[in-house]
Amino acid sequence: MTAEALNLTDNAAKKVRQLRDSEGNPSLMLRVYVTGGGCSGFSYGFNFAEASNEDDAEFHNGDVKMVVDSLSYQYLIGSTVDYIEGLEGSRFVVQNPNATTTCGCGSSFSI
Protein backbone atom coordinates (compact mmCIF):
# COMPACT_ATOMS: atom_id res chain seq x y z
CA MET A 1 0.00 0.00 0.00
CA THR A 2 1.47 3.38 -0.98
CA ALA A 3 1.50 6.55 1.11
CA GLU A 4 -1.19 7.99 -1.18
CA ALA A 5 -3.56 5.13 -0.49
CA LEU A 6 -6.57 5.20 1.77
CA ASN A 7 -7.03 2.42 4.27
CA LEU A 8 -10.32 0.68 4.99
CA THR A 9 -10.01 -0.99 8.39
CA ASP A 10 -11.08 -4.56 8.98
CA ASN A 11 -13.90 -3.29 11.21
CA ALA A 12 -15.21 -0.97 8.47
CA ALA A 13 -14.93 -3.73 5.85
CA LYS A 14 -16.84 -6.08 8.15
CA LYS A 15 -19.69 -3.54 8.47
CA VAL A 16 -19.82 -2.92 4.72
CA ARG A 17 -19.88 -6.70 4.17
CA GLN A 18 -22.76 -7.06 6.66
CA LEU A 19 -24.76 -4.27 5.01
CA ARG A 20 -24.03 -5.63 1.54
CA ASP A 21 -25.13 -9.12 2.57
CA SER A 22 -28.29 -7.85 4.28
CA GLU A 23 -29.22 -6.02 1.05
CA GLY A 24 -28.47 -9.14 -0.99
CA ASN A 25 -26.40 -7.05 -3.39
CA PRO A 26 -22.79 -8.26 -3.73
CA SER A 27 -21.83 -5.28 -5.92
CA LEU A 28 -22.43 -2.64 -3.21
CA MET A 29 -19.33 -0.66 -2.23
CA LEU A 30 -18.67 2.15 0.23
CA ARG A 31 -18.32 5.62 -1.29
CA VAL A 32 -16.44 8.19 0.81
CA TYR A 33 -16.54 11.84 -0.21
CA VAL A 34 -15.84 15.37 1.00
CA THR A 35 -18.27 18.27 0.70
CA GLY A 36 -18.03 21.93 1.65
CA GLY A 37 -19.70 22.93 4.89
CA GLY A 38 -19.72 21.71 8.43
CA CYS A 39 -18.45 23.56 11.45
CA SER A 40 -14.80 23.21 10.39
CA GLY A 41 -15.08 23.88 6.63
CA PHE A 42 -15.39 20.45 5.00
CA SER A 43 -17.58 17.48 5.87
CA TYR A 44 -17.13 13.77 5.29
CA GLY A 45 -19.89 11.86 3.57
CA PHE A 46 -20.58 8.17 3.16
CA ASN A 47 -23.02 6.29 0.98
CA PHE A 48 -23.25 3.07 -0.96
CA ALA A 49 -22.74 2.73 -4.69
CA GLU A 50 -23.31 -0.16 -7.06
CA ALA A 51 -20.72 0.97 -9.61
CA SER A 52 -17.61 3.09 -9.60
CA ASN A 53 -17.23 6.17 -11.76
CA GLU A 54 -14.48 6.78 -14.30
CA ASP A 55 -12.59 9.19 -12.01
CA ASP A 56 -12.91 7.11 -8.81
CA ALA A 57 -9.93 5.75 -6.92
CA GLU A 58 -10.62 2.25 -5.61
CA PHE A 59 -9.34 0.69 -2.40
CA HIS A 60 -9.91 -2.85 -1.16
CA ASN A 61 -10.01 -4.77 2.08
CA GLY A 62 -10.55 -8.37 1.12
CA ASP A 63 -13.75 -8.59 -0.93
CA VAL A 64 -14.95 -5.10 0.10
CA LYS A 65 -14.37 -2.11 -2.16
CA MET A 66 -14.25 1.57 -1.16
CA VAL A 67 -14.35 4.29 -3.82
CA VAL A 68 -13.40 7.97 -3.64
CA ASP A 69 -14.00 10.55 -6.37
CA SER A 70 -11.02 12.52 -7.70
CA LEU A 71 -12.03 15.82 -6.04
CA SER A 72 -12.43 14.23 -2.60
CA TYR A 73 -9.29 12.12 -2.97
CA GLN A 74 -6.97 15.14 -2.70
CA TYR A 75 -8.35 15.86 0.79
CA LEU A 76 -8.29 12.22 1.92
CA ILE A 77 -4.80 11.07 0.86
CA GLY A 78 -3.35 8.85 3.57
CA SER A 79 -6.61 8.65 5.55
CA THR A 80 -8.03 5.64 7.33
CA VAL A 81 -11.77 4.89 7.21
CA ASP A 82 -13.03 3.01 10.24
CA TYR A 83 -16.37 1.98 11.73
CA ILE A 84 -16.95 2.63 15.41
CA GLU A 85 -19.71 1.84 17.86
CA GLY A 86 -19.86 4.04 20.93
CA LEU A 87 -21.88 6.43 23.03
CA GLU A 88 -22.46 8.70 20.02
CA GLY A 89 -23.88 5.76 18.07
CA SER A 90 -22.49 3.64 15.28
CA ARG A 91 -20.83 5.34 12.33
CA PHE A 92 -18.09 5.39 9.78
CA VAL A 93 -15.27 7.81 10.67
CA VAL A 94 -12.24 9.18 8.86
CA GLN A 95 -8.85 9.55 10.50
CA ASN A 96 -7.34 12.19 8.23
CA PRO A 97 -3.65 13.15 8.61
CA ASN A 98 -4.25 16.19 6.36
CA ALA A 99 -6.81 17.82 8.67
CA THR A 100 -5.41 20.72 10.69
CA THR A 101 -8.58 21.12 12.75
CA THR A 102 -11.65 18.98 13.28
CA CYS A 103 -14.96 19.55 14.96
CA GLY A 104 -15.88 17.81 18.21
CA CYS A 105 -17.96 15.12 16.52
CA GLY A 106 -15.23 14.38 13.94
CA SER A 107 -17.52 14.74 10.94
CA SER A 108 -15.98 17.96 9.62
CA PHE A 109 -12.44 19.28 9.21
CA SER A 110 -10.25 21.99 7.71
CA ILE A 111 -6.91 21.86 5.92
Side-chain angles (χ1 to χ4, degrees), residues 24-95:
N25 186 346
S27 63
L28 284 182
M29 60 192 89
L30 180 65
R31 176 171 295 283
V32 181
Y33 58 93
V34 173
T35 59
C39 48
S40 292
F42 295 102
S43 294
Y44 301 113
F46 305 93
N47 63 29
F48 289 92
E50 291 189 30
S52 55
N53 297 323
E54 193 174 294
D55 70 335
D56 285 342
E58 296 182 359
F59 306 94
H60 299 263
N61 180 324
D63 64 338
V64 174
K65 187 187 302 185
M66 174 175 66
V67 293
V68 178
D69 66 85
S70 61
L71 290 175
S72 298
Y73 177 74
Q74 63 187 324
Y75 299 108
L76 295 170
I77 291 172
S79 294
T80 297
V81 176
D82 197 4
Y83 184 79
I84 59 170
E85 296 179 14
L87 295 175
E88 298 94 24
S90 303
R91 59 193 164 115
F92 288 100
V93 295
V94 177
Q95 298 161 358

